[in-house]
């Protein structure tokens, strides 16, 4: 090494931070190519007794330099924290795995017990994950609490390798009586996509110890989101969930909403730029209403959420005592919608700026975008599962019901009821007599599409003829009482589906709007007045009917009656 280079290195090393068990060469911009170039650095490591943390980020380390550093680490058995991000700038991708293996091998030789490992901003790809695979499986990582791999180009293959390594580590550490309890996992900007995310979800579910998960910008769509949602349910201490800039759409958001119902410690949710859309936002609003008691921040920005759904979210968070920030910027509210949202947020300072609002949608009937088409092709025959306990098989579908003790109850599915539902008429309803209330056993809140369809069919039979009116309203009461007796999430999923069918809310997929008749609105007007119809559900309904009156123009008189009744119920 030239004398000038040695002088520069010596000057840089003089700025090294030493203290609290930490030796830091952070941000010195050193180009460390070989053993000679790291002599001073190695000397400092060797002379540091009780080394607990080593910072090498912001330098560039070659293979030979890494081997020399590794040699110095072979007796550092107290090392716990390795901050090794941005450490291979300008290096060939093929060099990085070899350098990582050298460093990892040294940690294993030393018998170090790591608690933190940060390898972010190292573009090492799947091969780089192989470079740390053995380290992650070793006893040196049985104690790992924080793993940071942000912006490493891990990819699908690397995600699978990483997941298997974590699962192996958990298995081996459990056999030693101290299971791996990873608390923080950060892997944004890694192109994990569905397969990588789903593989990692298996590891997350197995560990069950996560407190922070950051996986933004990974090209994950609803299939991967659903896998992650299932895993999050098994991590009860989760505090921060950041999945920004992935593609949830309705199915992914519903799955996340179901998972969040089970989590009581969440403080920060970042689903910004995730295409949550209005139906998804309504589902999340239900969870905000009935759960997430210590939430501090929620980001639903740039999600194609319309005014009505944003206002439902605002109503849902108004009683959150710890809430500090609600971000709904970049959605489709329009000027009036933005103003209405500001008014609805009683604590105005918690609402983030709305400066990037996209404005109201140009056409409520416009063609769905490519994401919708892809989802339709994959899920054309799939119902929207709003059953919060479906993972455990607690609810019987296909017309089954449950007794209070959880045992199955024989469904009432007589030929007469099935005949009525297949081709509803007032005559058939009257012929059912007192058994007509058993129609409610043919609907299930876990299948909101069928439930909404049945409700609208029955309501379409309404007339002022006394006997028919009584029969229709009694049946409507029985059906709605069942549908609204479950969780807020199941109620809101059903209601949002109903709103889509009525043309009051733009939905995803190929759901057809019904041609409304006055009787359907009059049945709702009746139902709203009943004890089983909660005020907050009436408020949700009022939010959409009052902002989309043009959809109800064909039933103006009935619409006005419904509007007046909703106004009274909500105020």
């Amino acid at each position: 090494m030239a004398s000038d280079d040695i002088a520069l290195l010596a000057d840089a090393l003089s700025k090294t931070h030493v203290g609290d068990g930490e030796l830091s060469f952070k941000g010195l911009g050193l180009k460390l190519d070989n053993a000679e170039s790291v002599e001073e650095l190695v000397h400092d490591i060797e002379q540091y007794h009780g080394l607990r943390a080593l910072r090498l980020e912001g330098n560039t380390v070659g293979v030979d330099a890494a081997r020399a550093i590794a040699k110095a680490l072979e007796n550092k058995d107290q090392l716990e924290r390795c901050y090794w991000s941005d450490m291979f700038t300008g290096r060939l991708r093929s060099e990085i795995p070899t350098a990582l293996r050298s460093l990892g091998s040294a940690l294993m030789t030393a018998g170090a017990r790591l608690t933190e490992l940060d390898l972010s901003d190292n573009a090492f790809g799947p091969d780089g994950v192989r470079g740390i695979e053995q380290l992650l499986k070793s006893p040196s990582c049985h104690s790992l609490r924080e793993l940071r791999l942000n912006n490493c180009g891990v990819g699908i293959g690397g995600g699978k390798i990483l997941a298997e390594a974590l699962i192996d580590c958990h298995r081996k550490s459990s056999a030693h009586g101290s299971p791996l309890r990873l608390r923080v996992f950060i892997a944004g900007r890694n192109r994990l996509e569905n397969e990588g995310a789903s593989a990692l979800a298996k590891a997350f579910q197995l560990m069950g110890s996560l407190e922070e998960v950051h996986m933004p910008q990974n090209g994950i769509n609803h299939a991967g989101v659903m896998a992650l949602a299932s895993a999050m349910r098994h991590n009860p201490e989760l505090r921060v969930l950041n999945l920004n800039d992935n593609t949830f759409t309705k199915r992914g958001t519903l799955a996340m909403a179901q998972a969040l119902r089970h989590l009581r410690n969440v403080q920060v949710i970042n689903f910004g730029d995730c295409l949550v859309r209005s139906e998804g936002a309504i589902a999340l609003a239900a969870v905000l209403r009935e759960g997430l008691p210590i939430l501090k921040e929620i980001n639903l920005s740039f999600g194609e959420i319309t005014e009505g759904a944003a206002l439902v979210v605002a109503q849902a968070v108004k009683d959150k005592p710890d809430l500090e920030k609600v971000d709904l910027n970049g959605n489709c509210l329009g000027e009036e919608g933005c103003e209405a949202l500001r008014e609805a947020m009683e604590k105005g300072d918690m609402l983030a700026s709305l400066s990037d609002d996209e404005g109201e949608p140009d056409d409520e009937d416009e063609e769905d975008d490519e994401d919708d088409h892809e989802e339709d092709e994959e899920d054309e025959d799939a119902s929207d599962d709003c059953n919060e306990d479906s993972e455990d098989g607690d609810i019987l579908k296909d017309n089954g019901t449950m007794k209070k003790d959880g045992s199955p109850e024989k469904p009432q599915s007589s030929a007469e009821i099935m005949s009525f539902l297949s081709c509803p008429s007032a005559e058939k309803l009257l012929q059912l007599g007192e058994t007509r209330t058993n129609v409610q056993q043919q609907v299930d809140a876990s299948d909101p599409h069928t439930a909404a369809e049945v409700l609208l069919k029955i309501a379409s039979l309404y007339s002022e003829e006394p006997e028919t009116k009584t029969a229709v309203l009694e049946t409507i009461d029985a059906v709605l009482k069942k549908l609204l007796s479950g969780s807020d999430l199941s109620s809101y999923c059903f209601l949002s589906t109903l709103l889509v069918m009525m043309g009051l809310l733009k939905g995803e997929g190929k759901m057809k709007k019904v041609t409304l008749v006055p009787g359907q609105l009059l049945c709702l007007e009746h139902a709203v007045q009943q004890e089983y119809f909660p005020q907050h559900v009436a408020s949700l309904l009022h939010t959409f009917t009052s902002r989309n009156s043009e959809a109800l123009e064909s039933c103006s008189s009935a619409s006005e009656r419904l509007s007046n009744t909703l106004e009274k119920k909500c105020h």
Side-chain angles (χ1 to χ4, degrees):
M1 179 182 283
S3 58
D4 288 346
D5 292 336
I6 295 173
L8 288 171
L9 177 59
D11 179 63
L13 292 174
S14 70
K15 300 172 185 175
T16 298
H17 168 72
V18 180
D20 301 324
E22 178 180 291
L23 181 58
S24 176
F25 304 96
K26 180 180 178 180
L28 297 181
L30 302 174
K31 191 172 187 297
L32 307 172
D33 296 324
N34 49 43
E36 185 182 6
S37 67
V38 293
E39 283 180 354
E40 293 288 339
L41 187 150
V42 165
H43 178 266
D44 285 351
I45 293 173
E46 290 174 341
Q47 295 302 308
Y48 198 115
H49 300 291
L51 181 64
R52 295 183 181 277
L54 178 61
R55 290 188 173 276
L56 295 175
E57 64 263 57
N59 301 290
T60 175
V61 181
V63 171
D64 291 337
R67 287 181 178 138
I69 294 170
K71 188 67 177 175
L73 293 174
E74 287 182 353
N75 63 355
K76 300 300 177 182
D77 59 344
Q78 296 182 55
L79 186 60
E80 297 174 340
R81 304 185 303 279
C82 296
Y83 304 107
W84 295 348
S85 62
D86 188 20
M87 207 170 72
F88 299 108
T89 300
R91 300 295 169 182
L92 294 176
R93 191 160 171 173
S94 59
E95 293 181 79
I96 301 174
T98 304
L100 289 172
R101 285 191 188 93
S102 296
L103 294 166
S105 179
L107 298 175
M108 291 185 280
T109 299
R113 293 293 183 267
L114 297 184
T115 58
E116 295 181 47
L117 178 60
D118 185 357
L119 289 165
S120 299
D121 300 315
N122 291 310
F124 48 49
D127 289 342
V129 182
R130 290 203 180 279
I132 58 170
E133 182 180 10
Q134 293 309 311
L135 172 63
L136 290 174
K137 292 179 177 180
S138 76
S140 288
C141 284
H142 288 183
S143 52
L144 196 62
R145 296 292 177 264
E146 300 185 17
L147 179 59
R148 293 177 170 85
L149 294 168
N150 201 56
N151 191 31
C152 289
V154 165
I156 294 171
K160 291 179 177 180
I161 297 166
L162 178 60
E164 287 301 321
L166 291 172
I167 290 170
D168 188 77
C169 182
H170 185 272
R171 179 178 58 81
K172 290 176 179 175
S173 58
S174 297
H176 284 87
S178 183
L180 170 66
R181 292 190 56 79
L182 193 67
R183 291 198 296 253
V184 177
F185 180 83
I186 300 176
R189 300 182 66 189
N190 272 302
R191 302 192 302 277
L192 292 169
E193 301 183 18
N194 288 338
E195 291 183 62
S198 297
L200 285 165
K202 294 177 183 177
F204 297 162
Q205 182 165 326
L206 184 64
M207 291 185 291
S209 56
L210 290 167
E211 296 178 16
E212 291 188 32
V213 175
H214 301 262
M215 297 174 66
Q217 204 173 340
N218 268 297
I220 306 168
N221 66 31
H222 75 269
V225 172
M226 290 170 74
L228 289 171
S230 180
M232 292 306 109
R233 285 183 57 169
H234 298 271
N235 287 267
E237 300 304 315
L238 189 69
R239 292 183 296 104
V240 179
L241 181 57
N242 175 10
L243 294 173
N244 188 285
D245 199 8
N246 290 291
T247 306
F248 282 31
T249 59
K250 179 181 174 180
R251 296 200 74 200
T253 310
L254 291 183
M256 273 297 167
Q258 292 162 15
L260 289 169
R261 287 189 70 245
H262 297 266
L263 301 172
R264 308 291 294 176
N265 295 302
V266 175
Q267 296 179 20
V268 178
I269 295 172
N270 187 343
F271 295 162
D273 205 10
C274 284
L275 217 57
V276 164
R277 293 187 173 139
S278 295
E279 288 176 279
I282 291 171
L284 290 172
V287 179
L288 289 166
R289 251 193 60 80
E290 64 182 345
L292 302 170
I294 60 172
L295 187 70
K296 292 183 177 180
E297 181 178 332
I298 182 165
N299 183 347
L300 298 177
S301 61
F302 298 93
E304 294 189 4
I305 298 168
T306 54
E307 176 190 356
L311 290 172
V312 173
V313 171
Q315 286 295 315
V317 301
K318 67 180 182 181
D319 295 324
K320 294 289 178 196
D322 299 315
L323 195 64
E324 298 171 359
K325 184 179 180 182
V326 177
D327 192 345
L328 286 161
N329 194 22
N331 283 298
C332 305
L333 311 183
E335 288 185 19
E336 291 183 6
C338 288
E339 188 56 37
L341 183 59
R342 292 187 187 100
E343 290 178 7
M345 296 291 294
E346 295 174 2
K347 300 177 184 176
D349 57 341
M350 75 168 61
L351 181 64
S353 168
L354 299 173
S355 59
D356 295 318
D357 185 71
E358 297 285 341
E360 296 180 62
D362 293 332
D363 184 358
E364 287 295 316
D365 297 318
E366 66 187 354
E367 291 289 327
D368 292 323
D369 60 23
E370 290 181 12
D371 292 307
D372 288 342
H373 288 309
E374 288 176 15
E375 194 158 321
D376 291 340
E377 288 169 12
E378 294 174 26
D379 306 304
E380 190 170 343
D381 300 320
S383 65
D384 299 319
D385 185 4
C386 288
N387 175 6
E388 58 268 20
D389 295 309
S390 60
E391 181 176 276
D392 303 317
D394 292 341
I395 300 294
L396 293 179
K397 295 187 182 178
D398 299 327
N399 309 329
T401 58
M402 298 287 288
K403 294 180 181 176
K404 288 184 179 179
D405 62 2
S407 59
E409 193 174 77
K410 187 177 180 181
Q412 298 286 337
S413 54
S414 67
E416 291 84 1
I417 290 176
M418 299 305 292
S419 173
F420 164 70
L421 290 175
S422 64
C423 188
S425 70
E427 182 182 3
K428 286 182 179 179
L429 184 63
L430 291 172
Q431 287 174 353
L432 289 175
E434 292 182 1
T435 65
R436 58 178 167 259
T437 55
N438 290 335
V439 170
Q440 57 90 12
Q441 293 177 353
Q442 306 303 316
V443 299
D444 194 318
S446 67
D447 183 1
H449 183 274
T450 300
E453 231 175 16
V454 168
L455 185 80
L456 289 171
K457 282 180 179 179
I458 297 169
S460 69
L461 305 177
Y462 178 92
S463 81
E464 290 299 333
E465 192 279 314
E467 191 177 6
T468 301
K469 179 178 179 179
T470 299
V472 169
L473 293 180
E474 283 182 356
T475 310
I476 288 292
D477 284 339
V479 170
L480 275 176
K481 188 173 183 179
K482 178 181 180 181
L483 292 173
L484 299 179
S485 65
S487 68
D488 287 353
L489 178 58
S490 64
S491 297
Y492 278 35
C493 283
F494 158 70
L495 199 58
S496 66
T497 303
L498 183 66
L499 291 169
V500 172
M501 287 187 172
M502 294 174 67
L504 295 169
L505 172 66
K506 181 186 175 184
E508 289 184 7
K510 300 177 180 178
M511 194 183 301
K512 292 181 180 178
K513 298 176 187 175
V514 301
T515 301
L516 293 177
V517 295
Q520 292 163 329
L521 302 187
L522 293 174
C523 284
L524 281 175
E525 189 257 346
H526 161 82
V528 166
Q529 300 174 66
Q530 309 309 308
E531 287 187 7
Y532 65 74
F533 207 101
Q535 184 178 9
H536 67 91
V537 176
S539 177
L540 193 162
L541 184 58
H542 184 244
T543 296
F544 283 91
T545 55
S546 63
R547 284 167 173 77
N548 298 278
S549 55
E550 65 280 358
L552 307 177
E553 283 177 349
S554 61
C555 311
S556 56
S557 178
S559 172
E560 187 175 350
R561 280 181 58 177
L562 174 60
S563 178
N564 291 336
T565 302
L566 284 169
E567 191 76 32
K568 291 176 184 176
K569 180 91 172 188
C570 297
H571 299 92

